[in-house]
Amino acid sequence: MKESNVKNLLAHIFMKNGKAVTGITNFHILGERSIPELAKYYEHKGADALILFDLSKSEEEHKLHQRIIKCLCGRSQIPVIAGGHIEGLHDMEALVDMGCNRVFLNMSKEENRDLLPEACKQFGKEHIAVCINDFTFPKEENDRIEKYAEEVILLGDNRHLYEAVRSLPVTCIPLMDLVDYQKVYVLLKEDNVSGISGNVISNTEVDLFELKDLLQMKGIPMKQQKSAIAWSEFKLNSDGLIPVIVQDYRNGEVLMLAYMNEEAFDKTVKTGRMTYWSRSRQELWTKGETSGHFQYVKRLSIDCDNDTLLAYVVQVGAACHTGNRSCFYRDLMKKEYDAIDPMNTLQHLYENAQKKKETLIDHTSVKKQAADVLYHMTDLMAEYQVSWEDVTEEIDRREKKHKEG
């Protein structure tokens, strides 16, 4: 039996007609939030991953849900697991290409059971999960799951979850309808339970960070970020604060400078969102709570004197309250230098290649000039929030147009 060392709390969303609904067969609209808003809410509340169930019946509805899933994968800072309305490998490939960390197949459909080995071969076992809502699977089906799937999502009768968990040879995620935290604790103690999902996690009244702390105190190893250095080891300024330099993790652009007290630092580490201490307002503030321009932590570093932090972040929108990408948008002094125009570099590379000037074009020169182009283009893309996925889409569009004549 495969064991799970660290436990997760996973939110789930059932999607029907582009809306979040309350269940697989109960299509009542769940609250007033859109699916992207609900996904972001769960993420900020402390969910470790998100499970998406596509309950579409028509191809048009399925395409709508695919657009939503693609949007979520592009914005989410937590893993996305998706499935439902899988008609073949092409649907699975689409989900993988969108950025889903794992795709699940519904094992109640015989065609999906037949598809499982081929999916494992094409995408790798680590990207495949299965969904089971019938706990009376024969042993040979368990053997197939163990061979071809990384994980099992368990739906169905809550009374038989324990028996189902103990009968499975792989890690599993029980989806509980009941809001019963004692059962959460008991299930998470099972070696092969990697996490819990369901209403018990998606309940809007529950702070998942607090729930993780409680479960951790009870001896359940939860997925939590921790600092390698205690706050007591930091060298603070006269106000008891430590300055934080914030950079874009992709291109190193310096975005802003702010300050943290111990509470802000602890909240930043726990939630993964940059939180500061406002010296002017004398209060805690999480970047983006008002503007929506959140900063998601990729890495926190400290300097050699332990008196300055460096944060590498995913910046949503502008970092500066003026609307500029960076707070450092005004030059006081600027030394003239020869800037490399990426478009000229690319044109030069292309023209030389066309003329087949072997004395100028070799592996090293192509590598260096391509690096110049991509380096500057990455900066430009970051400034205008263009992703590599956007670029790939544009290339695909042009290729399709070219083939169509």
Side-chain angles (χ1 to χ4, degrees):
M1 177 183 292
K2 187 174 181 180
E3 297 184 3
S4 177
N5 296 322
V6 179
K7 311 295 183 173
N8 297 277
L9 302 180
L10 302 92
H12 75 282
I13 299 177
F14 295 117
M15 300 188 298
K16 183 65 180 172
N17 295 319
K19 304 288 186 181
V21 296
T22 54
I24 290 180
T25 56
N26 187 344
F27 298 151
H28 292 303
I29 304 298
L30 180 65
E32 297 180 356
R33 292 184 176 92
S34 68
I35 292 176
E37 289 171 341
L38 187 61
K40 184 60 66 179
Y41 171 79
Y42 288 146
E43 181 180 329
H44 286 184
K45 198 175 69 162
D48 297 311
L50 181 64
I51 306 176
L52 302 174
F53 294 83
D54 179 2
L55 305 181
S56 58
K57 294 296 183 182
S58 68
E59 190 60 27
E60 182 179 359
E61 184 183 3
H62 176 52
K63 288 181 179 179
L64 170 61
H65 291 167
Q66 282 189 319
R67 291 195 294 271
I68 294 173
I69 293 172
K70 183 178 180 180
C71 170
L72 295 184
C73 288
R75 298 178 181 179
S76 179
Q77 301 301 313
I78 58 176
V80 174
I81 304 168
H85 200 96
I86 300 292
E87 301 293 339
L89 289 177
H90 62 283
D91 281 324
M92 301 185 73
E93 183 175 16
L95 291 173
V96 171
D97 289 345
M98 288 174 195
C100 290
N101 297 73
R102 198 162 289 165
V103 179
F104 65 82
L105 289 167
N106 182 357
M107 290 292 97
S108 66
K109 295 183 177 180
E110 185 176 349
E111 56 268 31
N112 283 347
R113 295 199 289 272
D114 295 335
L115 185 63
L116 185 58
E118 195 173 351
C120 176
K121 181 179 179 181
Q122 178 161 336
F123 306 111
K125 182 179 178 180
E126 69 276 11
H127 294 298
I128 305 299
V130 298
C131 182
I132 296 176
N133 57 11
D134 179 0
F135 296 162
T136 60
F137 259 36
K139 184 179 184 303
E140 56 268 24
E141 291 297 341
N142 278 351
D143 293 342
R144 180 192 294 249
I145 290 171
E146 182 178 17
K147 185 175 181 180
Y148 298 115
E150 187 72 15
E151 204 157 39
V152 172
I153 300 170
L154 284 171
L155 305 176
D157 186 356
N158 284 268
R159 292 175 299 176
H160 297 96
L161 280 176
Y162 302 110
E163 294 85 343
V165 163
R166 292 170 183 144
S167 69
L168 287 167
V170 298
T171 57
C172 55
I173 304 169
L175 195 147
M176 297 176 58
D177 291 334
L178 302 176
V179 180
D180 186 335
Y181 295 103
Q182 180 59 31
K183 287 188 176 180
V184 169
Y185 169 69
V186 173
L187 278 170
L188 285 176
K189 287 181 68 176
E190 294 293 322
D191 290 336
N192 67 320
V193 172
S194 61
I196 296 288
S197 189
N199 295 337
V200 70
I201 304 303
S202 300
N203 185 346
T204 57
E205 302 299 319
V206 179
D207 186 325
L208 296 184
F209 294 113
E210 292 182 1
L211 179 57
K212 288 179 188 179
D213 288 341
L214 179 62
L215 291 167
Q216 188 81 37
M217 289 173 58
K218 289 188 174 184
I220 304 294
M222 302 304 298
K223 186 175 182 180
Q224 291 179 304
Q225 298 293 333
K226 294 182 180 180
S227 173
I229 299 178
W231 176 262
S232 59
E233 297 183 47
F234 294 171
K235 294 180 182 178
L236 310 179
N237 64 16
S238 58
D239 296 322
L241 305 174
I242 190 167
V244 187
I245 301 167
V246 185
Q247 287 185 281
D248 188 305
Y249 87 103
R250 293 166 299 186
N251 58 19
E253 179 186 14
V254 178
L255 300 173
M256 59 181 283
L257 171 70
Y259 292 83
M260 286 183 180
N261 62 6
E262 185 174 6
E263 185 180 3
F265 176 75
D266 289 343
K267 188 173 181 181
T268 296
V269 172
K270 176 180 282 190
T271 66
R273 285 177 287 149
M274 294 300 293
T275 302
Y276 307 103
W277 177 256
S278 171
R279 295 173 299 167
S280 59
R281 300 191 303 271
Q282 289 292 293
E283 64 181 17
L284 213 64
W285 62 286
T286 297
K287 177 69 176 175
E289 278 190 339
T290 302
S291 64
H293 297 166
F294 292 99
Q295 292 174 341
Y296 296 100
V297 184
K298 284 296 185 180
R299 186 166 87 243
L300 284 177
S301 301
I302 193 164
D303 75 336
C304 55
D305 294 320
N306 282 15
D307 63 6
T308 305
L309 297 181
L310 178 61
Y312 298 89
V313 305
V314 174
Q315 174 68 58
V316 177
C320 185
H321 72 282
T322 62
N324 287 283
R325 173 73 179 175
S326 168
C327 292
F328 300 95
Y329 60 91
R330 298 177 296 173
D331 294 327
L332 299 181
M333 186 277 290
K334 187 175 181 181
K335 186 175 181 180
E336 294 299 324
Y337 59 93
D338 293 330
I340 299 175
D341 185 337
M343 300 314 296
N344 287 342
T345 301
L346 183 60
Q347 183 67 25
H348 174 71
L349 180 64
Y350 176 76
E351 288 175 355
N352 283 342
Q354 287 291 95
K355 295 176 182 177
K356 301 185 183 299
K357 293 183 178 179
E358 301 298 338
T359 56
L360 297 176
I361 296 294
D362 57 20
H363 175 83
T364 301
S365 62
V366 171
K367 178 177 68 175
K368 288 182 177 180
Q369 293 187 62
D372 285 339
V373 173
L374 292 176
Y375 179 83
H376 292 283
M377 192 58 68
T378 299
D379 280 346
L380 192 63
M381 289 166 62
E383 182 178 352
Y384 290 94
Q385 299 180 50
V386 176
S387 68
W388 287 110
E389 187 180 55
D390 295 330
V391 176
T392 303
E393 280 185 355
E394 176 63 18
I395 293 173
D396 289 343
R397 185 190 66 79
R398 293 184 184 185
E399 288 184 347
K400 184 178 179 181
K401 184 177 180 180
H402 177 72
K403 290 177 180 178
E404 291 174 349

